[in-house]
Amino acid sequence: MIIGAVEAGGTKFVCGIGNEKGEVFERISFPTEQPEKTLAQVVEYFRDKQIESLGIGSFGPINIDRSSPQYGNVTTTPKPGWSNFPVLTELKKSIDVPIGWDTDVNAAALGEATWGAAQGSDSCLYYTIGTGVGVGVYAEGRMVHGLVHPEGGHVLTRRHPDDTYGGKCPYHGDCLEGMAAGPAIEARWKVKGSELPVDHPAWEMEAFYIGEALISAILLLSPKKIILGGGVMHQMQLFPLIRDHVRNGLKGYVASSALEEGGIDNYIVPPGLGDNAGLCGSIALGLRAYEESQQR
Ligand code: ADP
Ligand code: ZN
């Protein structure tokens, strides 16, 4: 079975094809420009691929409420041309297969639960710590939707006692994204995160903010696995620092061996699908859309 996948990002679009085992056969990527132009490139890519279904994991915020007339739209993005643009409706004009549509991070969580680090589990959280911070929530075997969709990148955390930086989020200032996304690291330390040495104090501070957010998420949602991806998480020294912060912060209150020394190394983990997490997530969305169409 050939499944199409689109990872629709604010800076680039990745399109690819794969199968029901999550194997990726090929991928291309192009910069995100005006929606008409970018979506025409998507349609052109899939024209001769004979896909049986398609999954789209999109940057947001997006409308994922199937009963809404605006279902399939990007909603309130500052990105020129994309605000309120009907992405799904536009693609459906030319692509006549079942299409799955969700946030990029919900898709990544689904992909990790289907083939990756949370394989076989009915719950996980997927965090991306990159240009922004996004959180996908997979619980009881499905992506969590609600009023809109989870926006866990913008939760508020305690401040690090040594941090004087004001925060970079245009909406909330010092929310998680405002304090811990790649641009916040660069603004605070005046150098790109990728250029900071691994023993720089920046990483203890970074682990503090991510760890604070994870503590709240664990208490609220009780996920069976937490996956941390995105450019900033290429700094592998963050993993032990974050695990320590979470364990010390919970103080043994949540009674699970997954949160104890040893167990936590397999609980807070990098993406099992590596840099394919996004694309595989979209393949998983496409697979679900196909399965749903067969049940009707
Ligand atoms: P996006 O979030 O735009 O999809 P990424 O996940 O690659 O893309 O995140 C890009 C951000 O991550 C940038 O702010 C960049 O500075 C930061 N980043 C990328 N690689 C690294 C690295 N190795 N170490 C620290 N920060 C990084
Ligand atoms: Zn915010």
Side-chain angles (χ1 to χ4, degrees), residues 152-224:
H154 296 267
V155 296
L156 299 176
T157 72
R158 283 187 287 204
R159 287 186 72 91
H160 190 285
D162 301 335
D163 195 5
T164 54
Y165 179 61
K168 211 175 170 40
C169 176
Y171 293 89
H172 320 109
D174 61 357
C175 67
L176 177 64
E177 175 172 303
M179 297 308 263
I185 299 174
E186 189 174 344
R188 182 188 288 113
W189 302 102
K190 315 277 185 270
V191 50
K192 278 190 185 307
S194 54
E195 287 158 25
L196 287 166
V198 295
D199 57 355
H200 192 280
W203 301 119
E204 187 272 325
M205 194 173 280
E206 181 72 9
F208 173 96
Y209 287 112
I210 298 169
E212 285 291 292
L214 297 197
I215 289 169
S216 294
I218 291 165
L219 293 168
L220 189 63
L221 294 164
S222 214
K224 291 181 183 163

Coordinates of all heavy atoms in Angstrom, one line a residue, residues 152-224:
G152 N 0.6 22.8 24.3 CA 1.5 22.7 25.5 C 2.8 23.4 25.4 O 3.5 23.4 26.4
G153 N 3.1 24.0 24.2 CA 4.3 24.8 24.1 C 4.2 26.1 24.9 O 5.2 26.7 25.1
H154 N 3.0 26.5 25.2 CA 2.8 27.8 25.8 C 2.4 27.8 27.3 O 1.9 28.7 27.8 CB 1.8 28.6 25.0 CG 2.3 28.9 23.6 ND1 3.0 30.0 23.3 CD2 2.3 28.1 22.5 CE1 3.3 30.0 22.0 NE2 2.9 28.8 21.5
V155 N 2.6 26.6 27.9 CA 2.4 26.6 29.3 C 3.4 27.5 30.1 O 4.5 27.8 29.6 CB 2.5 25.1 29.9 CG1 1.4 24.2 29.3 CG2 3.9 24.6 29.7
L156 N 3.0 27.9 31.3 CA 3.9 28.7 32.1 C 4.6 27.8 33.1 O 4.0 26.8 33.6 CB 3.1 29.8 32.9 CG 2.3 30.8 32.0 CD1 1.5 31.7 32.9 CD2 3.3 31.6 31.1
T157 N 5.8 28.1 33.3 CA 6.6 27.3 34.3 C 7.2 28.2 35.3 O 7.2 29.5 35.1 CB 7.8 26.5 33.6 OG1 8.8 27.5 33.3 CG2 7.3 25.8 32.4
R158 N 7.7 27.7 36.4 CA 8.4 28.5 37.3 C 9.6 29.1 36.6 O 10.1 28.5 35.6 CB 8.9 27.7 38.5 CG 7.8 27.4 39.5 CD 8.4 26.8 40.7 NE 8.7 25.4 40.5 CZ 8.8 24.5 41.4 NH1 8.6 24.8 42.7 NH2 9.1 23.2 41.1
R159 N 10.2 30.2 37.1 CA 11.4 30.7 36.4 C 12.6 30.1 37.1 O 12.6 29.9 38.3 CB 11.5 32.2 36.6 CG 10.5 33.0 35.8 CD 10.8 34.5 36.0 NE 12.0 34.9 35.3 CZ 12.0 35.3 34.0 NH1 10.9 35.4 33.3 NH2 13.2 35.6 33.5
H160 N 13.6 29.9 36.3 CA 14.9 29.5 36.9 C 15.5 30.7 37.7 O 15.5 31.8 37.3 CB 15.9 29.2 35.7 CG 17.2 28.6 36.2 ND1 18.2 29.2 36.8 CD2 17.6 27.3 36.1 CE1 19.1 28.4 37.1 NE2 18.8 27.2 36.6
P161 N 15.9 30.3 39.0 CA 16.4 31.4 39.9 C 17.5 32.3 39.3 O 17.6 33.5 39.7 CB 16.8 30.7 41.1 CG 16.8 29.2 40.8 CD 16.0 29.0 39.6
D162 N 18.3 31.8 38.4 CA 19.4 32.6 37.9 C 19.1 33.3 36.6 O 20.0 33.9 36.0 CB 20.7 31.8 37.7 CG 21.1 31.1 39.0 OD1 20.8 31.6 40.0 OD2 21.8 30.0 38.9
D163 N 17.9 33.2 36.1 CA 17.5 33.7 34.8 C 16.9 35.1 34.8 O 15.9 35.3 35.5 CB 16.5 32.7 34.1 CG 16.4 32.9 32.6 OD1 17.2 33.7 32.1 OD2 15.6 32.2 32.0
T164 N 17.6 36.0 34.1 CA 17.1 37.3 34.0 C 16.4 37.6 32.7 O 15.9 38.7 32.4 CB 18.2 38.4 34.2 OG1 19.2 38.1 33.3 CG2 18.8 38.3 35.6
Y165 N 16.4 36.6 31.8 CA 15.9 36.8 30.4 C 14.3 37.0 30.5 O 13.7 36.2 31.2 CB 16.3 35.7 29.5 CG 15.8 35.8 28.2 CD1 16.1 36.9 27.3 CD2 14.9 34.8 27.6 CE1 15.6 37.0 26.1 CE2 14.4 34.9 26.3 CZ 14.7 36.0 25.6 OH 14.2 36.1 24.3
G166 N 13.8 37.9 29.7 CA 12.4 38.2 29.8 C 11.4 37.3 29.1 O 10.3 37.2 29.3
G167 N 12.0 36.6 28.0 CA 11.2 35.7 27.3 C 10.8 36.2 25.9 O 10.7 37.4 25.7
K168 N 10.6 35.3 25.0 CA 10.5 35.7 23.6 C 9.1 35.5 22.9 O 8.9 35.8 21.8 CB 11.5 34.9 22.8 CG 12.1 35.7 21.6 CD 13.2 35.0 20.9 CE 13.6 35.6 19.6 NZ 13.6 37.1 19.4
C169 N 8.2 34.8 23.7 CA 6.9 34.6 23.0 C 6.1 35.9 22.8 O 5.9 36.6 23.7 CB 6.0 33.6 23.9 SG 4.4 33.3 23.2
P170 N 5.7 36.1 21.5 CA 4.9 37.3 21.3 C 3.6 37.4 22.0 O 3.1 38.5 22.2 CB 4.7 37.3 19.7 CG 5.0 35.9 19.3 CD 5.9 35.3 20.3
Y171 N 3.1 36.3 22.4 CA 1.8 36.3 23.2 C 2.0 36.4 24.7 O 1.3 37.1 25.4 CB 1.0 35.1 22.9 CG 0.5 35.1 21.4 CD1 1.3 34.5 20.4 CD2 -0.7 35.6 21.1 CE1 0.8 34.5 19.1 CE2 -1.2 35.6 19.8 CZ -0.4 35.0 18.8 OH -0.8 35.0 17.5
H172 N 2.9 35.5 25.2 CA 3.0 35.4 26.7 C 4.4 35.8 27.3 O 4.5 35.6 28.5 CB 2.7 33.9 27.1 CG 1.6 33.3 26.3 ND1 1.8 32.4 25.3 CD2 0.3 33.6 26.3 CE1 0.6 32.0 24.8 NE2 -0.3 32.7 25.3
G173 N 5.3 36.2 26.5 CA 6.6 36.5 27.0 C 7.3 35.2 27.5 O 8.0 34.5 26.7
D174 N 7.2 35.0 28.8 CA 8.0 33.9 29.4 C 7.3 32.6 29.5 O 7.6 31.9 30.5 CB 8.6 34.4 30.7 CG 7.5 34.7 31.7 OD1 6.3 34.6 31.4 OD2 7.9 35.0 32.9
C175 N 6.5 32.2 28.6 CA 6.0 30.8 28.6 C 7.1 29.8 28.2 O 8.2 30.3 27.9 CB 4.8 30.7 27.6 SG 5.3 30.9 25.9
L176 N 6.8 28.5 28.1 CA 7.8 27.5 27.8 C 8.5 27.9 26.5 O 9.8 27.9 26.4 CB 7.2 26.1 27.8 CG 8.1 25.0 27.3 CD1 9.2 24.8 28.4 CD2 7.3 23.7 27.2
E177 N 7.7 28.1 25.4 CA 8.3 28.5 24.2 C 9.2 29.7 24.3 O 10.3 29.8 23.7 CB 7.2 28.6 23.1 CG 7.7 29.1 21.8 CD 6.7 29.1 20.7 OE1 6.1 28.0 20.4 OE2 6.4 30.2 20.1
G178 N 8.7 30.7 25.0 CA 9.3 32.0 25.1 C 10.7 31.9 25.8 O 11.6 32.7 25.7
M179 N 10.8 30.8 26.7 CA 12.0 30.7 27.5 C 13.0 29.6 26.9 O 14.2 29.6 27.2 CB 11.7 30.3 28.9 CG 10.9 31.4 29.6 SD 11.7 33.0 29.5 CE 12.6 33.0 31.1
A180 N 12.4 28.6 26.2 CA 13.2 27.4 25.9 C 13.3 27.0 24.4 O 14.1 26.1 24.1 CB 12.6 26.2 26.7
A181 N 12.6 27.7 23.5 CA 12.8 27.3 22.1 C 14.1 27.8 21.6 O 14.8 28.7 22.3 CB 11.6 28.0 21.3
G182 N 14.6 27.4 20.5 CA 15.9 27.8 19.9 C 16.1 29.3 19.9 O 17.2 29.7 20.4
P183 N 15.2 30.1 19.4 CA 15.4 31.5 19.4 C 15.6 32.1 20.8 O 16.3 33.2 20.9 CB 14.1 32.1 18.7 CG 13.6 30.9 17.9 CD 14.0 29.7 18.7
A184 N 14.9 31.6 21.8 CA 15.1 32.1 23.2 C 16.5 31.8 23.7 O 17.1 32.7 24.3 CB 14.1 31.5 24.1
I185 N 17.0 30.6 23.4 CA 18.4 30.3 23.8 C 19.4 31.3 23.2 O 20.2 31.9 23.8 CB 18.8 28.8 23.4 CG1 17.8 27.8 24.0 CG2 20.2 28.5 23.7 CD1 18.0 26.4 23.5
E186 N 19.1 31.5 21.9 CA 20.0 32.4 21.1 C 20.0 33.8 21.7 O 21.0 34.5 21.9 CB 19.7 32.4 19.6 CG 20.7 33.1 18.8 CD 20.4 33.0 17.3 OE1 19.6 32.1 16.9 OE2 21.0 33.8 16.5
A187 N 18.7 34.3 22.0 CA 18.6 35.7 22.5 C 19.2 35.8 23.9 O 19.8 36.8 24.2 CB 17.1 36.0 22.6
R188 N 19.1 34.8 24.7 CA 19.6 34.8 26.1 C 21.1 34.8 26.1 O 21.7 35.6 26.9 CB 19.0 33.7 26.9 CG 19.4 33.7 28.4 CD 19.0 32.4 29.1 NE 17.6 32.3 29.4 CZ 16.8 31.4 28.8 NH1 17.2 30.6 27.9 NH2 15.5 31.4 29.1
W189 N 21.7 33.9 25.3 CA 23.2 33.7 25.4 C 23.9 34.4 24.3 O 25.2 34.3 24.3 CB 23.4 32.2 25.5 CG 22.7 31.5 26.6 CD1 21.6 30.8 26.5 CD2 23.1 31.5 28.0 NE1 21.2 30.3 27.8 CE2 22.1 30.8 28.7 CE3 24.2 32.1 28.7 CZ2 22.2 30.6 30.1 CZ3 24.2 32.0 30.1 CH2 23.2 31.2 30.8
K190 N 23.2 35.1 23.4 CA 23.8 35.8 22.3 C 24.7 34.9 21.4 O 25.6 35.4 20.7 CB 24.7 37.0 22.8 CG 24.1 37.8 23.9 CD 23.2 38.8 23.4 CE 22.7 39.7 24.5 NZ 21.4 39.3 25.1
V191 N 24.3 33.7 21.3 CA 25.0 32.8 20.4 C 24.0 31.6 20.1 O 23.1 31.3 21.0 CB 26.3 32.2 21.0 CG1 26.2 31.7 22.4 CG2 27.0 31.2 20.1
K192 N 24.1 31.0 18.9 CA 23.2 29.9 18.6 C 23.4 28.8 19.5 O 24.5 28.5 19.9 CB 23.4 29.5 17.2 CG 22.8 30.3 16.1 CD 22.9 29.6 14.8 CE 22.4 30.4 13.6 NZ 21.0 30.9 13.8
G193 N 22.3 28.1 19.9 CA 22.4 26.9 20.7 C 23.4 25.9 20.2 O 24.1 25.3 21.0
S194 N 23.4 25.7 18.9 CA 24.3 24.7 18.3 C 25.8 25.0 18.6 O 26.7 24.2 18.4 CB 24.1 24.5 16.8 OG 24.1 25.8 16.2
E195 N 26.1 26.3 18.9 CA 27.5 26.7 19.1 C 27.9 26.8 20.6 O 29.0 27.1 20.9 CB 27.7 28.1 18.5 CG 27.8 28.0 16.9 CD 27.5 29.3 16.2 OE1 27.7 30.4 16.8 OE2 27.0 29.2 15.1
L196 N 26.9 26.5 21.5 CA 27.3 26.5 22.9 C 27.9 25.2 23.3 O 27.5 24.2 22.9 CB 26.0 26.7 23.8 CG 25.3 28.1 23.8 CD1 23.9 28.0 24.3 CD2 26.2 29.1 24.6
P197 N 29.0 25.3 24.1 CA 29.6 24.0 24.5 C 28.7 23.1 25.4 O 27.8 23.7 26.0 CB 30.8 24.4 25.4 CG 30.8 25.9 25.5 CD 29.7 26.5 24.7
V198 N 28.9 21.8 25.3 CA 27.9 20.9 26.0 C 27.9 21.1 27.5 O 26.9 20.8 28.2 CB 28.2 19.4 25.7 CG1 28.0 19.1 24.2 CG2 29.6 19.0 26.1
D199 N 29.0 21.7 28.1 CA 29.0 21.9 29.6 C 28.6 23.4 29.9 O 28.8 23.8 31.1 CB 30.4 21.5 30.1 CG 31.5 22.3 29.5 OD1 31.2 23.1 28.5 OD2 32.6 22.2 29.9
H200 N 28.1 24.1 29.0 CA 27.7 25.5 29.3 C 26.4 25.5 30.2 O 25.6 24.6 30.1 CB 27.3 26.2 28.0 CG 27.2 27.6 28.1 ND1 26.0 28.2 28.5 CD2 28.0 28.7 27.8 CE1 26.2 29.6 28.5 NE2 27.4 29.9 28.1
P201 N 26.4 26.5 31.1 CA 25.2 26.5 32.0 C 23.9 26.7 31.3 O 22.8 26.4 31.9 CB 25.5 27.8 32.9 CG 26.8 28.3 32.5 CD 27.4 27.5 31.4
A202 N 23.9 27.1 30.1 CA 22.7 27.2 29.3 C 21.9 25.9 29.3 O 20.6 25.9 29.3 CB 23.0 27.5 27.8
W203 N 22.5 24.8 29.4 CA 21.8 23.5 29.2 C 21.2 23.1 30.5 O 20.1 22.4 30.5 CB 22.8 22.4 28.7 CG 23.4 22.8 27.4 CD1 24.7 23.0 27.0 CD2 22.6 23.2 26.2 NE1 24.8 23.5 25.8 CE2 23.6 23.6 25.2 CE3 21.3 23.2 25.8 CZ2 23.2 24.0 23.9 CZ3 20.9 23.6 24.6 CH2 21.8 24.0 23.6
E204 N 21.7 23.4 31.6 CA 21.1 23.2 32.9 C 19.8 24.0 33.0 O 18.7 23.5 33.4 CB 22.0 23.5 34.1 CG 21.5 23.1 35.4 CD 20.7 24.2 36.1 OE1 21.0 25.4 35.9 OE2 19.7 23.8 36.8
M205 N 19.9 25.3 32.5 CA 18.7 26.1 32.5 C 17.7 25.6 31.5 O 16.5 25.6 31.8 CB 19.2 27.6 32.1 CG 18.1 28.6 32.4 SD 18.8 30.3 32.1 CE 19.7 30.6 33.6
E206 N 18.1 25.2 30.4 CA 17.2 24.6 29.4 C 16.4 23.4 29.9 O 15.2 23.3 29.8 CB 18.0 24.2 28.1 CG 17.1 23.7 27.0 CD 16.2 24.7 26.3 OE1 16.4 25.9 26.5 OE2 15.4 24.3 25.5
A207 N 17.2 22.5 30.6 CA 16.6 21.3 31.2 C 15.6 21.7 32.3 O 14.6 21.0 32.5 CB 17.7 20.4 31.7
F208 N 15.9 22.8 33.0 CA 15.0 23.2 34.1 C 13.7 23.5 33.5 O 12.6 23.0 33.9 CB 15.6 24.5 34.7 CG 14.7 25.1 35.7 CD1 14.8 24.9 37.1 CD2 13.7 26.1 35.3 CE1 14.0 25.5 38.0 CE2 12.9 26.7 36.2 CZ 13.0 26.4 37.6
Y209 N 13.6 24.3 32.4 CA 12.3 24.7 31.8 C 11.6 23.5 31.2 O 10.4 23.4 31.4 CB 12.5 25.9 30.8 CG 12.9 27.2 31.4 CD1 14.1 27.8 31.3 CD2 11.9 27.8 32.2 CE1 14.4 28.9 31.9 CE2 12.2 29.0 32.9 CZ 13.5 29.6 32.7 OH 13.8 30.8 33.4
I210 N 12.3 22.7 30.5 CA 11.6 21.6 29.9 C 11.2 20.6 31.0 O 10.0 20.1 31.0 CB 12.6 20.8 28.9 CG1 12.9 21.8 27.7 CG2 11.9 19.6 28.3 CD1 14.1 21.3 26.8
G211 N 12.0 20.4 32.0 CA 11.7 19.5 33.1 C 10.4 20.0 33.9 O 9.6 19.2 34.2
E212 N 10.3 21.3 34.1 CA 9.2 21.9 34.8 C 7.9 21.6 34.0 O 6.9 21.2 34.6 CB 9.3 23.4 34.9 CG 10.3 23.9 35.9 CD 9.8 23.6 37.3 OE1 8.8 24.3 37.7 OE2 10.4 22.8 38.0
A213 N 8.0 21.8 32.7 CA 6.8 21.5 31.8 C 6.4 20.0 31.9 O 5.2 19.6 31.9 CB 7.0 22.0 30.4
L214 N 7.4 19.2 31.8 CA 7.2 17.7 31.9 C 6.5 17.3 33.2 O 5.7 16.4 33.2 CB 8.4 16.9 31.6 CG 9.1 17.1 30.3 CD1 10.1 15.9 30.0 CD2 8.2 17.1 29.1
I215 N 7.0 17.9 34.3 CA 6.4 17.5 35.6 C 4.9 17.8 35.6 O 4.1 16.9 35.9 CB 7.1 18.3 36.7 CG1 8.5 17.8 36.9 CG2 6.3 18.2 38.0 CD1 9.4 18.6 37.8
S216 N 4.5 19.0 35.1 CA 3.1 19.3 35.0 C 2.3 18.3 34.1 O 1.2 17.9 34.4 CB 2.9 20.7 34.5 OG 3.4 21.6 35.4
A217 N 3.0 18.0 32.9 CA 2.3 17.1 32.0 C 2.1 15.7 32.6 O 1.1 15.1 32.4 CB 3.1 17.1 30.7
I218 N 3.1 15.3 33.3 CA 3.0 13.9 33.9 C 1.9 13.9 34.9 O 1.1 13.0 35.0 CB 4.4 13.5 34.5 CG1 5.4 13.3 33.4 CG2 4.2 12.3 35.4 CD1 6.9 13.2 33.9
L219 N 1.9 14.9 35.7 CA 0.8 15.0 36.8 C -0.6 15.1 36.2 O -1.5 14.5 36.6 CB 1.1 16.2 37.7 CG 2.3 16.1 38.5 CD1 2.6 17.4 39.2 CD2 2.2 15.0 39.6
L220 N -0.7 15.8 35.1 CA -2.0 16.0 34.5 C -2.5 14.9 33.6 O -3.7 14.5 33.6 CB -2.0 17.3 33.6 CG -3.3 17.9 33.1 CD1 -4.2 18.2 34.3 CD2 -3.0 19.1 32.2
L221 N -1.6 14.3 32.8 CA -2.0 13.4 31.7 C -1.6 12.0 32.0 O -2.0 11.0 31.3 CB -1.5 13.9 30.4 CG -2.1 15.2 29.9 CD1 -1.3 15.7 28.7 CD2 -3.5 14.9 29.4
S222 N -0.6 11.8 32.8 CA 0.0 10.4 33.1 C 0.4 9.7 31.8 O 0.0 8.5 31.7 CB -1.1 9.6 33.9 OG -0.5 8.8 34.8
P223 N 1.1 10.3 30.9 CA 1.5 9.6 29.7 C 2.4 8.4 30.0 O 3.2 8.5 30.9 CB 2.2 10.7 28.9 CG 2.8 11.6 30.0 CD 1.8 11.6 31.1
K224 N 2.3 7.4 29.1 CA 3.2 6.2 29.3 C 4.6 6.4 28.7 O 5.5 5.6 29.0 CB 2.5 5.0 28.7 CG 1.3 4.6 29.5 CD 0.6 3.4 28.9 CE -0.7 3.1 29.7 NZ -1.5 2.1 28.9

